[in-house]
Amino acid sequence: MDEVKLNIFGFGNVGRATARILLEKESVFKERYGLVFKVLSISDTSGTVWLPEGIDLHEALLVKENFGKLSAWINDYEVYNLSPTEAVREIEGDLIVDVTNDKNAWEWHMEALKIGKGVVTSNKPPLAFHYSELTEKAEGKGLPYLFEATVMAGTPVIGLLRETLLGDSIESIEAVLNGTTTYILTQMEEGVSFEEALKDAQKLGIAERDPSGDILGIDAGYKATILHCLAFKPITFDEITVRGIADVSMEEVRKSRREGKTIRLVASIEEGAVSVGPREVPRGSPLAVSSTQNAAVMKTDLLGELVIKGAGAGLRETASGVVSDIVKAALKIRGA
Ligand code: HSE
């Protein structure tokens, strides 16, 4: 049995869903892959809990859910006040799991790779701004740098582009990549106001902590940038054009509906050209997704048109991508 040591950064919704799945599927990982995961540290904004023998995830979940912060756990554990870079450097581990929203996380991802730790992340800005540096460093070191959950949650669009379509050349991708905006637009079709629909999306845990990133198209823009990096060549978010749904009126939404169409926030990705904006799509189009579904329509030279559609947000749905990557990274590390 191979033991893989994890350092988890972030214990919000996605971090906790990941911890729950690690507990739930313990026997699956053992039986299917011969893997045992030991979480040596968990960091949230209040501090880092670190136990060389491994943290009891049941207890960690109880503390976080009852007290809202890991630093409340002082009875049984030491809580350390470390920056993410210090935690990466000082705490033993094979793999760091970044489920934070830290925009500067690329710095400590680089640090992890430099000192020989693999990285699994659901955090989008590191990829949307530093794709080349991070993936090149990981490749140079022979370490996994995996980010399935950054785009379309656990729906495996990243794996499809990164590991499966290895002979095809992608010609274009059109995609709906943000669940919050789809949710708001579909609610508006039912006569619910923009503000009410946004509040509901926040209650459902779909929207980001600061939902302006969803509404303004930034979240979809990060994801579209990442898809361009994989399908064509590395670019950064600064090179793309983004318009959100803030100025889409109830009247426009209803007019579309009367005409058998629907408005979605669509990302268009071609080599060297990425744009995100509200667009009318026919009701029968694969892009006319509902609720928190995402969809991508890809055109390739060999395969023609390919549609991938599935959950694009949600806690267990996002954790699905994180956990798949943890297993994949662990298998890579073991094989190394
Ligand atoms: N806020 C994002 C969305 C969550 O609405 O799609 C998933 O990245």
Side-chain angles (χ1 to χ4, degrees):
M1 206 59 69
D2 287 300
E3 194 177 80
V4 178
K5 299 182 190 85
L6 308 180
N7 311 125
I8 298 180
F9 293 82
F11 213 41
N13 287 334
V14 177
R16 295 201 305 280
T18 300
R20 268 188 216 106
I21 295 173
L22 287 176
L23 282 170
E24 249 175 72
K25 305 246 171 173
E26 216 175 328
S27 59
V28 175
F29 302 139
K30 263 190 209 156
E31 283 156 26
R32 228 188 256 173
Y33 311 108
L35 290 172
V36 173
F37 295 112
K38 194 155 120 179
V39 177
L40 262 47
S41 65
I42 309 177
S43 308
D44 72 0
T45 46
S46 74
T48 293
V49 178
W50 170 13
L51 199 69
E53 304 84 71
I55 291 171
D56 180 336
L57 292 180
H58 284 293
E59 277 187 47
L61 287 163
L62 273 175
V63 169
K64 183 76 181 184
E65 268 145 31
N66 288 321
F67 302 103
K69 53 184 185 179
L70 285 169
S71 62
W73 208 358
I74 41 175
N75 287 349
D76 304 306
Y77 290 97
E78 292 287 341
V79 179
Y80 299 86
N81 189 10
L82 300 168
S83 71
T85 304
E86 287 166 339
V88 164
R89 266 194 218 138
E90 289 173 29
I91 303 176
E92 190 199 356
D94 301 305
L95 200 56
I96 69 157
V97 180
D98 171 13
V99 278
T100 70
N101 293 312
D102 181 358
K103 288 205 165 65
N104 298 317
W106 78 280
E107 292 171 1
W108 42 278
H109 290 189
M110 281 298 252
E111 188 59 31
L113 294 168
K114 270 187 210 154
I115 61 169
K117 292 183 175 184
V119 178
V120 166
T121 187
S122 61
N123 187 9
K124 296 149 214 159
L127 274 306
F129 291 97
H130 300 279
Y131 182 91
S132 295
E133 297 103 300
L134 290 163
T135 53
E136 279 165 24
K137 174 60 84 185
E139 217 165 283
K141 290 281 202 171
L143 289 165
Y145 186 84
L146 305 181
F147 46 91
E148 186 62 67
T150 55
V151 185
M152 292 178 82
T155 305
V157 66
I158 301 283
L160 191 65
L161 288 167
R162 213 178 179 195
E163 288 149 26
T164 306
L165 294 175
L166 301 184
D168 287 59
S169 300
I170 308 293
E171 290 166 351
S172 65
I173 304 176
E174 294 214 308
V176 174
L177 299 171
N178 181 270
T180 303
T181 46
T182 299
Y183 183 83
I184 293 172
L185 292 165
T186 40
Q187 290 294 100
M188 283 168 77
E189 283 179 9
E190 302 301 321
V192 179
S193 73
F194 186 101
E195 292 72 22
E196 276 303 308
L198 173 57
K199 266 191 219 150
D200 289 346
Q202 285 177 296
K203 273 190 218 139
L204 291 170
I206 315 166
E208 300 296 312
R209 199 171 300 158
D210 172 6
S212 60
D214 293 299
I215 305 307
L216 300 174
I218 295 165
D219 176 78
Y222 287 160
K223 294 167 177 167
T225 304
I226 297 170
L227 291 186
H228 185 284
C229 293
L230 287 163
F232 301 106
K233 59 176 188 210
I235 55 163
T236 70
F237 177 75
D238 302 320
E239 296 168 67
I240 76 165
T241 312
V242 171
R243 196 185 130 212
I245 63 158
D247 57 1
V248 176
S249 69
M250 187 78 101
E251 185 39 42
E252 281 172 286
V253 170
R254 287 187 164 159
K255 180 173 161 286
S256 255
R257 186 179 172 143
R258 282 196 299 274
E259 292 169 358
K261 291 179 271 185
T262 186
I263 300 178
R264 290 289 175 271
L265 186 68
V266 177
S268 300
I269 304 159
E270 287 183 11
E271 181 151 19
V274 178
S275 63
V276 172
R279 182 142 47 92
E280 282 191 319
V281 295
R283 284 242 155 236
S285 159
L287 295 179
V289 286
S290 56
S291 182
T292 54
Q293 276 186 326
N294 283 184
V297 180
M298 302 183 189
K299 289 201 179 111
T300 91
D301 58 344
L302 305 179
L303 201 52
E305 189 172 287
L306 165 71
V307 180
I308 177 163
K309 179 172 163 181
L315 308 185
R316 285 174 74 80
E317 294 84 348
T318 305
S320 157
V322 176
V323 171
S324 297
D325 277 350
I326 291 175
V327 171
K328 211 183 279 177
L331 294 174
K332 183 173 164 108
I333 289 168
R334 183 175 69 177

